[in-house]
């Protein structure tokens, strides 16, 4: 399933567009018609969460259907190695920048750069106690993913008991319904849930797991829905009401993951190209480094403001700078950490669910 790896870079890029929309539109006014689509870029995270649950269920749901302390420790260790090294490096880059610019303490919008927040970031629990971001802003989702990883060995035991495709689809729908109901009842004016961070990650992560089982075990032909993908994109791009800082489109994001996993044709072929797969491998690093590039983006926006040609060069330089930062983090931090843990690990890799029926194993990398 290399197509799911390619899908990751689209999700990460969508988040980047969400954060740098004002800068991009100031440099390139011709991007303004895509404003609604870029404003919906927060939904990129709602694409990552079910994607993570989907791939982990594919690889572990059956092999860990009976709880084993050794398997659970091995799984959590590997998940830690997958997300913590990049997160830790990005955290300290942000700390160094905050020291240099004098922005330690509580900043605009309650952004926390305090000793307590630093310690929570090191432990990856920084959004468990506060809905405000801390240090590297996008890293809030890493704490949520870490929570899901810690519970995953127990979740595998439970979801593996569901063997019928229709039942899996029903549980996926119920998971999303529970999440949306809680948001409708308890969300703060800013759209967040104070002290209820787990609602979003667990609703989408578990839904992704059940969607995977519905496809693999039941042979659910979700690939037939591939023609609907452009409809989802157009709805998000043209109708502000479907993505007005709410999460009503979250179930559609989960369905996108399941459809891409089972789709062939041009969708699967394009997302499976060597370029898209390579970019997908570095997408976690793009997500984790792009917000640290704010000074570079600001400088390029100011430099390119003079004329159309300088604006075009600034946009190209912005894309290259973001890509280069992500690739360097991927090559210098993420890959070595992954190799290190695989060398030390003595636990064999699990066979994916239904591997005998669905061809070769997919890329095992989930996006946190």
């Amino acid at each position: 399933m290399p197509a799911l790896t390619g899908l990751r870079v689209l999700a990460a890029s969508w988040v980047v567009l969400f954060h740098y929309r004002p800068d991009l539109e100031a440099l390139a006014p011709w991007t303004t018609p895509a404003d609604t689509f870029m404003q919906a870029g927060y939904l990129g995270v709602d694409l990552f969460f079910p994607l993570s649950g989907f791939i982990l269920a594919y690889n572990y749901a059956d092999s860990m259907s009976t709880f084993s302390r050794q398997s659970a420790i091995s799984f959590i260790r590997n998940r830690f190695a997958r997300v913590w090294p990049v997160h830790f490096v990005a955290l300290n880059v942000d700390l160094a920048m905050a020291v240099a610019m004098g922005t330690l303490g509580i900043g605009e919008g309650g952004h926390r750069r305090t000793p307590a927040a630093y310690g929570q970031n090191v432990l990856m629990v920084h959004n468990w106690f506060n809905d405000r971001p801390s240090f590297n802003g996008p890293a809030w989702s890493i704490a949520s993913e870490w929570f899901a990883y810690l519970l995953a060995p127990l979740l595998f035991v439970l979801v593996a008991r569901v063997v019928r495709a229709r039942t899996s689809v029903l549980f996926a729908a119920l998971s999303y319904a529970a999440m949306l109901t809680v948001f409708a009842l308890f969300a703060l004016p800013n759209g967040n849930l104070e002290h209820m961070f787990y609602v979003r990650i667990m609703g989408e992560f578990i839904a992704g797991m059940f969607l995977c089982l519905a496809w693999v075990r039941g042979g659910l032909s979700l690939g037939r829905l591939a023609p609907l993908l452009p409809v989802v994109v157009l709805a998000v791009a043209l109708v502000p009401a479907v993505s007005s800082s709410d999460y009503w489109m979250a179930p559609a994001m989960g369905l996108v993951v399941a459809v891409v996993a089972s789709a062939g044709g041009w969708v699967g072929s394009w997302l499976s190209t060597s370029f898209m797969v390579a970019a997908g491998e570095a997408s976690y690093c793009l997500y984790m480094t792009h917000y640290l590039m704010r000074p570079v983006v600001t400088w390029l926006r100011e430099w390119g403001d003079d004329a159309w040609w300088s604006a075009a060069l600034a946009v190209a330089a912005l894309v290259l700078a973001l890509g280069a930062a992500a690739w360097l983090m991927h090559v210098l931090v993420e890959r070595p950490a992954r190799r290190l843990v695989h060398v030390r690990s003595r636990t064999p890799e699990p066979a994916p669910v239904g591997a005998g029926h669905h061809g070769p194993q997919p890329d095992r990398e989930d996006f946190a």
Side-chain angles (χ1 to χ4, degrees):
M1 295 190 296
L4 288 185
T5 303
L7 181 63
R8 285 165 44 189
V9 73
L10 298 184
S13 299
W14 200 9
V15 175
V16 173
L17 290 174
F18 172 70
H19 285 141
Y20 288 131
R21 175 179 57 86
D23 301 280
L24 185 59
E25 291 180 355
L27 273 174
W30 52 267
T31 63
T32 303
D35 181 76
T36 300
F37 178 77
M38 291 189 284
Q39 284 195 65
Y42 68 92
L43 290 171
V45 175
D46 300 287
L47 192 54
F48 288 135
F49 285 165
L51 175 59
S52 181
F54 192 100
I55 293 181
L56 289 179
Y58 186 90
N59 283 302
Y60 293 96
D62 277 354
S63 64
M64 295 181 66
S65 60
T66 301
F67 185 80
S68 163
R69 181 173 175 272
Q70 180 181 358
S71 295
I73 292 174
S74 177
F75 172 84
I76 292 172
R77 183 194 63 230
N78 287 335
R79 294 302 94 205
F80 179 86
R82 175 71 177 92
V83 297
W84 189 82
V86 170
H87 166 62
F88 183 72
V89 172
L91 166 65
N92 284 281
V93 170
D94 190 80
L95 173 63
M97 293 171 60
V99 170
M101 294 185 289
T103 55
L104 290 175
I106 306 296
E108 183 179 355
H111 196 120
R112 298 172 296 133
R113 290 187 174 91
T114 63
Y118 181 85
Q120 292 169 4
N121 269 267
V122 171
L123 298 175
M124 294 191 291
V125 298
H126 41 288
N127 81 321
W128 292 17
F129 313 104
N130 194 312
D131 78 313
R132 294 294 78 203
S134 61
F135 285 96
N136 185 23
W140 68 266
S141 65
I142 305 307
S144 293
E145 279 279 353
W146 181 236
F147 182 82
Y149 292 163
L150 292 175
L151 289 181
L154 296 177
L155 294 175
F156 294 140
V157 175
L158 297 176
V159 301
R161 300 293 184 268
V162 180
V163 296
R164 296 176 63 88
R166 293 181 184 276
T167 306
S168 294
V169 172
L170 174 62
F171 278 129
L174 289 175
S175 186
Y176 273 120
M179 182 195 91
L180 293 175
T181 299
V182 172
F183 269 100
L185 294 176
F186 301 109
L188 300 173
N190 62 15
N192 296 319
L193 293 168
E194 187 70 60
H195 305 305
M196 298 177 71
F197 74 95
Y198 49 84
V199 172
R200 187 176 176 191
I201 175 61
M202 297 311 296
E204 297 176 354
F205 187 85
I206 292 173
M209 298 176 81
F210 280 121
L211 285 171
C212 173
L213 296 183
W215 168 59
V216 174
R217 292 184 178 171
L220 200 62
S221 299
L222 294 172
R224 296 176 183 176
L225 300 178
L228 294 179
L229 293 180
V231 177
V232 173
V233 174
L234 286 174
V236 173
L238 301 178
V239 185
V242 304
S243 57
S244 55
S245 299
D246 294 317
Y247 300 103
W248 300 111
M249 285 295 290
M253 299 299 104
L255 191 59
V256 165
V257 173
V259 170
V260 168
S262 55
W266 69 269
V267 174
S269 297
W270 175 57
L271 291 174
S272 301
T273 59
S274 57
F275 174 80
M276 291 299 293
V277 170
E281 287 287 348
S283 58
Y284 174 48
C285 293
L286 173 63
Y287 180 79
M288 292 298 289
T289 60
H290 78 274
Y291 215 57
L292 302 175
M293 299 291 286
R294 292 190 312 278
V296 175
V297 173
T298 300
W299 180 82
L300 285 172
R301 186 192 64 195
E302 294 172 350
W303 178 84
D305 238 1
D306 294 333
W308 68 266
W309 61 268
S310 60
L313 287 176
V315 170
L318 189 154
V319 172
L320 290 174
L322 292 172
W327 191 254
L328 285 173
M329 182 73 85
H330 178 60
V331 172
L332 299 179
V333 178
E334 186 178 18
R335 280 183 181 174
R338 193 185 309 168
R339 284 196 298 266
L340 180 63
V341 74
H342 282 311
V343 167
R344 291 185 175 183
S345 175
R346 296 182 180 180
T347 303
E349 289 288 343
V353 176
H357 302 285
H358 293 275
Q361 288 184 232
D363 182 340
R364 281 197 166 85
E365 298 307 324
D366 62 299
F367 191 93

